[in-house]
Amino acid sequence: MASTLVRGKYVICQITGPSSAEVISDGAVFQRDGEIIEVGRYDNLIERYNPDEIIGSPSYVVMPGLVDNHFHVGITPFQLGAPDLPLELWLFDRMGSKEVDLYLAHLYAATQMLKSGTTTMSALTASITPIEMDDVKKILKAAQDSGIRISYGTLIVDQNRLVAGPKGGDKELASQLPSDLATRFKSYMAPLYLSVEEHISNVEEVLANYADNRYERIRAIVAPSNVHRCSDELLIALKELARKYKVGIHIHLQETVYQKLYGLYTWGKTSLQHLNDLGFLGPDVTCAHSVWVTDSDIEVMAATGTNVCHLASSNLRLQSGIAPVNCFLKRGIRVTLGTDEASINDDRDLLQEMRLILKLHRVPGIENTPPTAYQVFQMATVNGAYSSGFGDHIGTLEPGKRADIVLLNLLNIEEPYLDPEVSIVDAVIHRGRGIDVDTVMVDGEIVVRDGRLTRVDIESLYKELKGSLTRPPSPQEIERSEFSKQLEPYLYHFYGEAIGGLSQPHYQYNARY
Ligand SMILES: [Zn+2]
């Protein structure tokens, strides 16, 4: 390892409030062996240090690497031919998609992330068969080969993997199917529904190997897939396991109206309230989506210190709705962000995702206060660092932190003119894009230089991916695709017209009368 002085017209060190940040003009960051030693004025640091390399110039902004706090797959469902649909239909529609090698998929995702300034991915991986230790190693190897940081959690399910609605889950849907379809449906789910002991043993194997932070760029977390997808016994056991290994928990929650209605049908309360009854919530827990939370759910989240991961693109693409982020921020709930299966551009450009979040919550009415650029920046850096298990290692540019640094070219942001009164944080979130990312450093190592990956040969990766996917669908993929089409009419019947009776939304964008 070596030392580097990273120079920029601005260094965004950290966000200090909803409308303030510590920014150094004509600044620099000096790092040695992956640790940030000092941040200050460039002319001051160049006098006192003798770095092995100086990168950047007054044409760049220097900022912390971004954290994608919720990610699942490499090649997106859209790329594999599954169009955007309401989540409940989409889960079935994509059943027949081609299977992609886990190593190649994660390497591809990592390259997209790094090239657009994301230095940490929270990989939450699902599969149609249980994920084994060899699969986990493949995923972690992909991250290691690319240089990205990874926070890993296998998504755990022991019930209702594909179905949850106002009339129940798996069992209730199966009871409405002709017997041959019901049998196929149950056998499709069966391989994932391991016993609680088997699930715990699998998760514990991962934690035993990776939860002790022996690898600087790897963290492990516990990831029950969703409240309705896990039995209470499993949820409690996973919570205990997370406590034992002192790791965080990431869980999908009330992503769609149907998931909310499942809670009301099953427990007479929302999933969030049910988790609260189980003693599951707390500052170690991040609830993904949380689109359909109630006012009292938000109060419980705030009171327990529970976090929310906002997945704006995913919620728009799958017709899930818009999470009440303004309400979360008002109650002081920590919000992170992620790309889920894709992002608004289908390319995991977190800068564009940040811009979407900046503008999505602008509810009409001058009394409404949407997130500021500073708050969105906070979501994508220090908040994501916290939730992904990297805690205070990353997320800001301060002495003692690890050197995860992005150099963003100011050309597209400031030229031909940008009023000097516009803050650099606003400028980056309003105008920055992945293509402006010039250089990316993870733990002091340059993994993207002049917009090109230093560790991965992108041409051969694309060639290999293309080669693995340019093939006719396998008999199993064809069978799954046909099966999902057969189920579709029953899904319409099962979910019915659910939204009708629900009351006042958190946000009001328009009105009929
Ligand atoms: Zn997800």
Side-chain angles (χ1 to χ4, degrees):
M1 297 286 269
S3 63
T4 325
L5 192 62
V6 188
R7 182 186 187 183
K9 181 177 178 182
Y10 307 99
V11 175
I12 303 175
C13 303
Q14 60 182 318
I15 303 302
T16 52
S19 301
S20 60
E22 183 191 342
V23 176
I24 300 170
S25 295
D26 198 9
V29 180
F30 178 68
Q31 76 82 28
R32 187 190 296 128
D33 296 336
E35 182 184 343
I36 296 176
I37 305 297
E38 194 170 343
V39 184
R41 296 270 304 175
Y42 171 74
D43 50 9
N44 183 322
L45 297 192
I46 191 69
E47 263 181 34
R48 293 189 296 108
Y49 293 103
N50 184 24
D52 296 321
E53 186 178 17
I54 300 172
I55 58 173
S57 76
S59 304
Y60 296 93
V61 55
V62 179
M63 57 182 236
L66 305 174
V67 181
D68 185 338
N69 189 223
H70 186 109
F71 148 82
H72 298 304
V73 294
I75 302 289
T76 68
F78 183 83
Q79 283 175 286
L80 293 171
D84 293 355
L85 289 170
L87 178 88
E88 281 68 20
L89 302 178
W90 177 82
L91 286 171
F92 282 86
D93 190 75
R94 58 184 292 227
M95 274 168 59
S97 294
K98 284 180 182 168
E99 288 186 63
V100 190
D101 176 77
L102 283 173
Y103 174 81
L104 292 178
H106 283 78
L107 188 60
Y108 169 67
T111 61
Q112 281 198 313
M113 289 181 185
L114 288 171
K115 276 172 70 99
S116 53
T118 296
T119 51
T120 300
M121 63 153 77
S122 294
L124 307 160
T125 307
S127 174
I128 52 173
T129 50
I131 293 199
E132 298 181 352
M133 199 59 199
D134 282 349
D135 300 320
V136 176
K137 285 182 179 161
K138 270 186 172 188
I139 293 166
L140 297 178
K141 184 170 183 338
Q144 285 178 308
D145 287 353
S146 72
I148 202 167
R149 280 180 199 273
I150 184 167
S151 165
Y152 179 77
T154 300
L155 286 172
I156 305 297
V157 298
D158 70 350
Q159 61 181 27
N160 302 324
R161 176 169 169 247
L162 292 175
V163 183
K167 297 170 195 158
D170 276 6
K171 281 197 192 84
E172 289 75 9
L173 176 68
S175 73
Q176 296 181 8
L177 299 174
S179 65
D180 59 326
L181 269 187
T183 307
R184 284 176 74 189
F185 180 62
K186 284 179 198 159
S187 64
Y188 177 75
M189 303 294 193
L192 285 172
Y193 294 171
L194 306 177
S195 69
V196 171
E197 292 72 28
E198 286 169 310
H199 273 309
I200 293 301
S201 157
N202 288 347
V203 178
E204 184 150 26
E205 192 182 1
V206 176
L207 295 179
N209 278 287
Y210 300 105
D212 61 0
N213 303 350
R214 79 181 77 157
Y215 302 97
E216 169 55 35
R217 299 189 203 181
I218 298 177
R219 294 292 181 271
I221 58 156
V222 170
S225 180
N226 199 321
V227 189
H228 63 262
R229 293 191 190 123
C230 296
S231 60
D232 289 354
E233 194 190 351
L234 181 57
L235 286 169
I236 291 165
L238 288 169
K239 175 77 179 180
E240 279 170 12
L241 200 59
R243 207 175 268 141
K244 178 177 167 188
Y245 283 90
K246 299 186 176 61
V247 298
I249 299 176
H250 201 112
I251 185 167
H252 293 80
L253 181 113
Q254 287 158 239
E255 178 172 355
T256 67
V257 65
Y258 303 104
Q259 294 181 10
K260 177 179 182 175
L261 293 170
Y262 175 89
L264 301 179
Y265 169 86
T266 308
W267 306 294
K269 57 182 74 172
T270 63
S271 302
L272 191 278
Q273 303 286 349
H274 180 65
L275 285 182
N276 196 32
D277 290 348
L278 295 178
F280 189 91
L281 300 172
D284 55 330
V285 177
T286 300
C287 296
H289 298 285
S290 307
V291 177
W292 288 86
V293 288
T294 63
D295 281 345
S296 56
D297 290 344
I298 295 170
E299 289 308 312
V300 169
M301 285 174 154
T304 54
T306 302
N307 316 291
V308 171
C309 181
H310 182 33
L311 299 144
S313 290
S314 167
N315 297 333
L316 290 176
R317 293 184 63 167
L318 304 182
Q319 273 177 256
S320 305
I322 298 174
V325 167
N326 294 345
C327 308
F328 298 146
L329 294 178
K330 210 171 183 178
R331 294 295 289 112
I333 293 168
R334 183 189 277 114
V335 178
T336 68
L337 60 89
T339 54
D340 215 358
E341 245 86 14
S343 59
I344 201 71
N345 305 318
D346 220 55
D347 66 355
R348 303 192 178 85
D349 178 347
L350 220 55
L351 285 162
Q352 298 252 31
E353 193 69 17
M354 290 158 82
R355 181 170 314 126
L356 174 68
I357 293 170
L358 180 72
K359 301 187 178 181
L360 185 61
H361 303 281
R362 294 181 173 181
V363 183
I366 55 173
E367 72 283 9
N368 289 313
T369 50
T372 63
Y374 297 82
Q375 288 172 313
V376 176
F377 201 93
Q378 187 83 339
M379 293 175 197
T381 52
V382 75
N383 289 2
Y386 173 87
S387 172
S388 61
F390 286 98
D392 53 10
H393 277 231
I394 56 167
T396 61
L397 300 181
E398 305 174 81
K401 292 249 173 141
R402 305 307 296 176
D404 287 14
I405 301 173
V406 173
L407 265 173
L408 205 62
N409 194 328
L410 283 165
L411 188 71
N412 293 324
I413 296 171
E414 286 193 337
E415 299 300 328
Y417 180 74
L418 183 68
D419 191 291
E421 291 300 309
V422 176
S423 83
I424 186 59
V425 173
D426 272 301
V428 165
I429 309 298
H430 279 265
R431 293 175 61 84
R433 289 174 296 168
I435 56 165
D436 300 322
V437 171
D438 181 88
T439 301
V440 178
M441 186 179 266
V442 180
D443 210 38
E445 179 196 351
I446 293 176
V447 291
V448 175
R449 189 190 284 274
D450 300 329
R452 298 176 71 86
L453 296 151
T454 60
R455 283 189 177 212
V456 183
D457 177 351
I458 204 90
E459 271 180 37
S460 60
L461 170 64
Y462 278 31
K463 209 170 153 189
E464 208 175 338
L465 262 173
K466 203 179 176 100
S468 73
L469 289 166
T470 313
R471 58 164 172 86
S474 69
Q476 293 84 356
E477 287 160 357
I478 292 170
E479 196 205 328
R480 287 201 299 270
S481 178
E482 286 169 354
F483 177 48
S484 76
K485 286 189 182 73
Q486 284 177 291
L487 286 169
E488 198 180 291
Y490 299 96
L491 295 176
Y492 278 99
H493 182 254
F494 183 76
Y495 284 107
E497 292 175 14
I499 287 187
L502 293 179
S503 59
Q504 194 70 19
H506 291 287
Y507 288 177
Q508 186 168 351
Y509 279 104
N510 52 33
R512 288 176 68 188
Y513 302 106

